[in-house]
Amino acid sequence: MKPIRVGLVGLGTVGTGTFEVLRRNQADIRRRAGRGIEITLIAARNVARAQSIVGDAIPVVPDWQSVVDSPDIDIVVELIGGYETSKELVLRAIANGKHVVTANKALLALHGNEIFQAAQDKGVMVAFEAAVAGGIPIIKALREGLTANRIEAIAGIINGTTNFILSEMREKGLDFATVLRQAQELGYAEADPTFDIEGVDAAHKATIMSAIAFGIPVQFEKAYVEGISKLQAKDIRYAEQLGYRIKLLGITKRAVVNGTEGIELRVHPTLIPCKRLIANVEGAMNAVLVNADAVGASMYYGRGAGGEPTASAVIADLVDITRLATADPESRVPHLAFQPNQMTDVQILPMSEITTSYYLRVYVKDQPGVMADLTRILADATISIDAVLQKEPGEGETRTDIIMLTHQTQEKNIDAAIAKIERLPTVVGTVTRIRLENLS
Amino acid sequence: MKPIRVGLVGLGTVGTGTFEVLRRNQADIRRRAGRGIEITLIAARNVARAQSIVGDAIPVVPDWQSVVDSPDIDIVVELIGGYETSKELVLRAIANGKHVVTANKALLALHGNEIFQAAQDKGVMVAFEAAVAGGIPIIKALREGLTANRIEAIAGIINGTTNFILSEMREKGLDFATVLRQAQELGYAEADPTFDIEGVDAAHKATIMSAIAFGIPVQFEKAYVEGISKLQAKDIRYAEQLGYRIKLLGITKRAVVNGTEGIELRVHPTLIPCKRLIANVEGAMNAVLVNADAVGASMYYGRGAGGEPTASAVIADLVDITRLATADPESRVPHLAFQPNQMTDVQILPMSEITTSYYLRVYVKDQPGVMADLTRILADATISIDAVLQKEPGEGETRTDIIMLTHQTQEKNIDAAIAKIERLPTVVGTVTRIRLENLS
């Protein structure tokens, strides 16, 4: 059988990784796929640089249109990122009847519904294993491995940059700004790290997992997104003293509010009990914890970024497409796991409606009755306290931190209680609130 | 489209779980598969009991032949275990043109080559996700998720019974026999626990993973199999003091011996550094660590046994088969990951040729020069020592334990060194040897 012909758009880290891995493991990949997979055309902004990487055997062009419109290409691999040109590119590839592989989580979280619909109409596949958690085959696990299950909840460390920063802050007791600078020097964080540190990247990925897990459209605009840039070193320390680690989690789960089913979709720093396996995922590693009714808890761990790990996912998609290229479109795995006419309209809940536990740090004047005031406010809101940590004021200081861990309550309850606490005359400044998940 | 018709043979824990999950999640499974999956006939030894579980809507027969020979069945699910009747059953189902789903690792580890060849010849699928690590989709990850990679090594906690026993021994400081009895009372160990505690079950699973990872036939007869029944509580304690946990691992990896490629395939108690994620997999949970060239390390964690977790894997296979039932056999994932005409003849190494590190415990008379003798023997064999733990003799005792951790060496070197150590007049009894893997 003739090799399947792949057009690669973008020869950055992942593009180069894809080229290298396909070349290095060519024989093994063909032994698995039963058919060769060959990159036959590449588009890259810097043609000379690209040509120096891939050699003379593969032509390089400066414009993506040449790849997408080429009649000699079966699959287009989109690795340029962003969501404007990439959207145009992917839609045009689909219109031209090409299958598409993309690592672009931003594109799919924002325009996935339109893209998958176009692919469906045209009878082509859009594969995106590389878009979530890089080298971990989590999309395959969710779409195919766990098909028997009603998925209940997903919680993932799905951004390596922030996990690296949080690991360093905890291990070395450093503050956020210092570690971010180091991460940038080491190449773990980008020059403009906003998307990573503010949780946007994780929210893109959580949005995609949410759709696949629950059979709903991608709805990035409804995700709650909070990053780690305001996290203080002392909160990491206090959490540790209470038996918790702080991780940036992408969470999506089923919830019932006033008898109605809803979906939570949120990214924020989260306290997790130290003894949980996922709390011990350190450095730039990713891990996704899935709770489902038949299988219970399962976890998927590995590298979430980098050239070759991401290439591993891109190429797995290429092999899948190669196998199914000649198959009836009906027998393919649906893009969003559920048949397109079988999606549900379960709503994503506003943040005020979600339920979780909380870590509250209150900076107070060291006076009698402060604790009584705090606990009274929480009791009035029917919020139970699980643990309290009161620090001694430092030498010569008259103010100190009180930390409280609450039981589960609705976000709007804690919002109201925090507002009351902040109005207390003994309370200085604002209350620090970090959500807590037991993940039991 | 008409539902696909499934015949279930065996209605024990997994069979009942499969029935229950298929019924409970019927709607969601159909929304994913695009086609109903219906159990239409069941064979069970105790028909009355089976009928009381599944109700009147599904007929139950006492003989498996009626299911396998029925013209109204598309897929046969084999859940009777063992490898004699089950082999006859599976081969006859294949001969009748049925697809087969099985959870039977013993059957596949021993007769997989013959079964897959028969399926290949007949153009049907034999799916076996449930055979390894129950609810964890590790077969799918290895066969499809990591197709881009040259897989280098797999190390798995793939037997829940032994992991439960080891976790309890460590946490409670109890000996093997006591914990085994408790595990039997709790239903974590069977009345005859031999296959679990002696490592046979783990070796079946490691054998299957070995074939899939490296493109070789299943070769259970070449696996090295050592269980945990001789493990002493004090070795677990000493390991802990040195920073290690002891786990029963199924290991299969590439190795080069004298310039020739080979495969290691072995199951034995193994020291692992405490800080490794897999060292913290406790109780009856399973986890499989995979090292591959592009993706690096990845790990898959979840329940390895039990009715519904295993049913999760059985049903995922049913969905895969349902999707591909009408597809060209060429486009299906090959049974052993590599195209059948593309297997390699890389040999499984005899145990004497494998390379690893070692924990040695030597019971010695507390006399001057003992340590010098031990270290001399190891130095003469060019085995480096990584750590030593010498215990004080107990009150009024004249003998004590010396524990040494070695660097990597070949098994035959350590065998020779141990033989010499055991001949020393100061050494009492035999040397306890436990292998050690850094899994870095």
Side-chain angles (χ1 to χ4, degrees), chain A residues 145-216:
Chain A
L146 302 178
T147 38
N149 293 264
R150 179 177 160 92
I151 294 174
E152 300 292 346
I154 296 175
I157 296 174
I158 44 181
N159 180 273
T161 304
T162 46
N163 203 51
F164 175 82
I165 292 173
L166 292 175
S167 297
E168 290 287 300
M169 286 177 73
R170 184 181 67 80
E171 273 174 32
K172 303 185 178 160
L174 298 171
D175 67 16
F176 173 78
T178 308
V179 176
L180 173 60
R181 217 161 34 238
Q182 289 177 358
Q184 285 171 319
E185 283 162 17
L186 288 167
Y188 284 118
E190 304 198 32
D192 177 358
T194 314
F195 262 38
D196 290 319
I197 63 173
E198 297 304 348
V200 180
D201 175 74
H204 288 149
K205 296 167 182 167
T207 297
I208 295 170
M209 290 198 288
S210 180
I212 290 172
F214 305 122
I216 57 173

Side-chain angles (χ1 to χ4, degrees), chain B residues 156-406:
Chain B
I157 296 173
I158 45 181
N159 180 273
T161 305
T162 45
N163 203 52
F164 175 81
I165 292 173
L166 292 175
S167 297
E168 290 286 301
M169 285 176 73
R170 183 181 67 79
E171 274 175 32
K172 303 186 178 159
L174 296 171
D175 66 16
F176 173 78
T178 308
V179 176
L180 173 60
R181 220 162 30 239
Q182 289 177 357
Q184 285 172 319
E185 283 161 18
L186 289 167
Y188 283 119
E190 305 198 31
D192 178 358
T194 314
F195 262 37
D196 291 318
I197 64 173
E198 296 305 347
V200 180
D201 175 74
H204 288 150
K205 295 165 183 166
T207 297
I208 295 170
M209 291 198 287
S210 180
I212 290 171
F214 305 121
I216 57 174
V218 291
Q219 295 164 74
F220 175 69
E221 70 285 1
K222 293 192 184 159
Y224 173 81
V225 189
E226 178 185 329
I228 64 166
S229 59
K230 294 191 183 67
L231 204 62
Q232 296 189 35
K234 68 175 172 183
D235 289 316
I236 293 177
R237 206 164 58 237
Y238 293 154
E240 194 85 358
Q241 290 168 14
L242 289 158
Y244 294 82
R245 296 258 162 94
I246 298 181
K247 296 288 181 188
L248 183 72
L249 289 188
I251 296 172
T252 186
K253 59 195 285 198
R254 295 182 189 275
V256 174
V257 178
N258 302 328
T260 306
E261 266 217 318
I263 306 277
E264 299 185 2
L265 175 56
R266 48 191 168 100
V267 170
H268 50 69
T270 315
L271 273 77
I272 312 170
C274 284
K275 62 184 171 194
R276 300 276 178 268
L277 215 52
I278 196 170
N280 294 284
V281 170
E282 299 290 0
M285 300 302 279
N286 280 204
V288 180
L289 180 65
V290 182
N291 264 280
D293 69 341
V295 79
S298 59
M299 197 180 86
Y300 308 83
Y301 164 87
R303 283 183 176 76
E308 294 211 351
T310 311
S312 170
V314 168
I315 297 168
D317 279 346
L318 289 174
V319 173
D320 277 357
I321 291 178
T322 300
R323 283 194 178 122
L324 291 171
T326 58
D328 172 17
E330 300 291 304
S331 34
R332 295 171 189 158
V333 181
H335 289 109
L336 290 176
F338 292 80
Q339 301 292 330
N341 60 352
Q342 294 288 315
M343 309 289 272
T344 73
D345 60 353
V346 182
Q347 295 299 302
I348 292 179
L349 296 166
M351 197 59 187
S352 59
E353 302 283 330
I354 71 113
T355 298
T356 187
S357 304
Y358 295 88
Y359 163 105
L360 302 178
R361 176 169 52 78
V362 192
Y363 193 47
V364 299
K365 298 174 187 161
D366 189 31
Q367 293 175 3
V370 175
M371 186 64 90
D373 289 341
L374 295 177
T375 51
R376 169 54 48 206
I377 289 173
L378 292 177
D380 286 349
T382 65
I383 298 168
S384 303
I385 299 173
D386 199 39
V388 172
L389 183 66
Q390 180 162 8
K391 308 305 288 186
E392 290 285 307
E395 183 88 15
E397 286 182 33
T398 58
R399 294 168 177 186
T400 189
D401 283 321
I402 292 178
I403 296 98
M404 293 176 291
L405 304 186
T406 78

Side-chain angles (χ1 to χ4, degrees), chain A residues 94-318:
Chain A
I94 291 168
N96 287 340
K98 318 285 188 203
H99 303 293
V100 173
V101 174
T102 176
N104 193 331
K105 46 259 177 188
L107 174 66
L108 296 179
L110 272 77
H111 305 297
N113 302 323
E114 183 182 347
I115 288 168
F116 296 135
Q117 183 62 54
Q120 176 72 16
D121 294 345
K122 195 74 188 180
V124 298
M125 292 173 266
V126 175
F128 53 95
E129 183 64 74
V132 180
I136 310 175
I138 182 65
I139 298 297
K140 189 173 275 287
L142 290 171
R143 290 204 314 186
E144 303 172 44
L146 302 178
T147 38
N149 293 264
R150 179 177 160 92
I151 294 174
E152 300 292 346
I154 296 175
I157 296 174
I158 44 181
N159 180 273
T161 304
T162 46
N163 203 51
F164 175 82
I165 292 173
L166 292 175
S167 297
E168 290 287 300
M169 286 177 73
R170 184 181 67 80
E171 273 174 32
K172 303 185 178 160
L174 298 171
D175 67 16
F176 173 78
T178 308
V179 176
L180 173 60
R181 217 161 34 238
Q182 289 177 358
Q184 285 171 319
E185 283 162 17
L186 288 167
Y188 284 118
E190 304 198 32
D192 177 358
T194 314
F195 262 38
D196 290 319
I197 63 173
E198 297 304 348
V200 180
D201 175 74
H204 288 149
K205 296 167 182 167
T207 297
I208 295 170
M209 290 198 288
S210 180
I212 290 172
F214 305 122
I216 57 173
V218 291
Q219 294 164 74
F220 175 71
E221 70 285 0
K222 293 192 185 159
Y224 172 81
V225 189
E226 178 185 327
I228 64 166
S229 59
K230 293 191 184 67
L231 204 63
Q232 295 190 34
K234 67 175 171 182
D235 289 316
I236 292 176
R237 207 164 55 238
Y238 294 155
E240 193 85 359
Q241 289 166 16
L242 289 159
Y244 294 82
R245 297 259 162 92
I246 299 180
K247 296 290 182 186
L248 183 72
L249 290 188
I251 295 172
T252 186
K253 59 194 286 196
R254 295 181 189 276
V256 174
V257 178
N258 302 329
T260 305
E261 265 217 320
I263 305 274
E264 300 185 1
L265 175 56
R266 48 193 169 96
V267 170
H268 49 69
T270 315
L271 274 76
I272 312 169
C274 283
K275 63 185 169 192
R276 299 276 179 268
L277 215 52
I278 197 170
N280 293 285
V281 170
E282 300 291 0
M285 300 303 277
N286 280 206
V288 180
L289 181 64
V290 182
N291 264 281
D293 69 340
V295 80
S298 59
M299 197 180 88
Y300 308 83
Y301 164 87
R303 283 184 175 74
E308 295 213 351
T310 311
S312 169
V314 168
I315 297 169
D317 279 346
L318 288 174

Side-chain angles (χ1 to χ4, degrees), chain A residues 26-166:
Chain A
Q26 197 172 30
D28 266 11
I29 292 168
R30 184 198 298 257
R31 286 174 59 213
R32 290 184 172 114
R35 187 173 173 191
I37 296 175
E38 279 181 15
I39 297 174
T40 53
L41 186 58
I42 293 174
R45 255 183 305 202
N46 187 333
V47 173
R49 185 185 156 279
Q51 206 80 68
S52 77
I53 293 171
V54 304
D56 291 337
I58 307 173
V60 179
V61 294
D63 63 309
W64 57 264
Q65 291 85 348
S66 298
V67 174
V68 164
D69 296 340
S70 164
D72 299 325
I73 294 291
D74 305 303
I75 309 175
V76 172
V77 178
E78 180 276 306
L79 298 172
I80 58 173
Y83 33 65
E84 299 194 356
T85 307
S86 63
K87 182 183 174 192
E88 195 188 339
L89 185 166
V90 166
L91 288 174
R92 185 148 142 192
I94 291 168
N96 287 340
K98 318 285 188 203
H99 303 293
V100 173
V101 174
T102 176
N104 193 331
K105 46 259 177 188
L107 174 66
L108 296 179
L110 272 77
H111 305 297
N113 302 323
E114 183 182 347
I115 288 168
F116 296 135
Q117 183 62 54
Q120 176 72 16
D121 294 345
K122 195 74 188 180
V124 298
M125 292 173 266
V126 175
F128 53 95
E129 183 64 74
V132 180
I136 310 175
I138 182 65
I139 298 297
K140 189 173 275 287
L142 290 171
R143 290 204 314 186
E144 303 172 44
L146 302 178
T147 38
N149 293 264
R150 179 177 160 92
I151 294 174
E152 300 292 346
I154 296 175
I157 296 174
I158 44 181
N159 180 273
T161 304
T162 46
N163 203 51
F164 175 82
I165 292 173
L166 292 175

